[in-house]
Amino acid sequence: MGTWDIGPFDNDTAADFGGDLDEAALEEREAMIRGVLKRAAGPADFLGVSDGERAVAAAALVVAQHPAGDPACSSYGPSEPVPELPADLRMLAVDALDQVVSDRSELAELWADAANWSKWRQDITRLRDVLDPPIPPQEEALFEISSVTHSHGHRT
């Protein structure tokens, strides 16, 4: 596995994907990102390591355009601009990331044996949480429920 760090583009496959995006015409880049995310998000018995690595990189590009997201800053990511991506890619990216960390993912399997597995997993969760923020835990009660008793008088 040609991986040198935990970042979305810190492996050979994702760096090559970034290069492929740079070489593609601007109007082709969204379709390339969508294709990678669809392949990873789709129902499959097993998600191969290359598809998983490309999916994480594509999801990072979607996150980079989210108002709460961080730029996909990496010297290995695409250096050419990525067109504005449609909002529907956000949920597709969430589905793809869910598959990447599932028990059917070869990439998750490989990372599970690595010393910095938890850091990698946190990075994936951080990407996912930008696109689909977790619901904060509810307090015991959002408001006081006062017991109101009604006294019903008899009518005469």
Side-chain angles (χ1 to χ4, degrees):
M1 181 161 80
T3 299
W4 50 87
D5 205 351
I6 62 164
F9 285 96
D10 293 347
N11 59 73
D12 291 337
T13 305
D16 289 347
F17 176 60
D20 292 345
L21 285 170
D22 283 344
E23 291 170 13
L26 182 66
E27 63 273 7
E28 293 171 2
R29 293 179 193 150
E30 178 201 324
M32 292 171 68
I33 292 167
R34 182 180 299 275
V36 163
L37 293 173
K38 270 187 170 170
R39 183 173 310 133
D45 292 337
F46 198 68
L47 178 64
V49 69
S50 296
D51 287 338
E53 288 173 335
R54 275 191 290 270
V56 172
L61 295 174
V62 175
V63 168
Q65 292 190 2
H66 189 282
D70 296 321
C73 58
S74 169
S75 46
Y76 305 105
S79 48
E80 297 296 316
V82 173
E84 187 167 334
L85 300 171
D88 74 301
L89 282 184
R90 292 177 184 170
M91 282 296 109
L92 189 59
V94 166
D95 292 343
L97 290 172
D98 286 348
Q99 292 301 329
V100 165
V101 296
S102 77
D103 56 4
R104 298 179 301 119
S105 166
E106 185 180 15
L107 186 58
E109 207 174 274
L110 290 171
W111 273 104
D113 297 332
N116 49 0
W117 176 86
S118 62
K119 180 82 178 85
W120 175 79
R121 187 71 169 80
Q122 287 170 350
D123 220 46
I124 301 293
T125 301
R126 188 182 49 75
L127 289 174
R128 188 193 189 288
D129 286 353
V130 168
L131 300 172
D132 187 25
I135 297 169
Q138 297 296 308
E139 295 298 320
E140 282 303 310
L142 294 176
F143 49 86
E144 282 293 313
I145 301 173
S146 57
S147 57
V148 179
T149 54
H150 297 282
S151 54
H152 298 285
H154 292 291
R155 289 194 178 160
T156 52

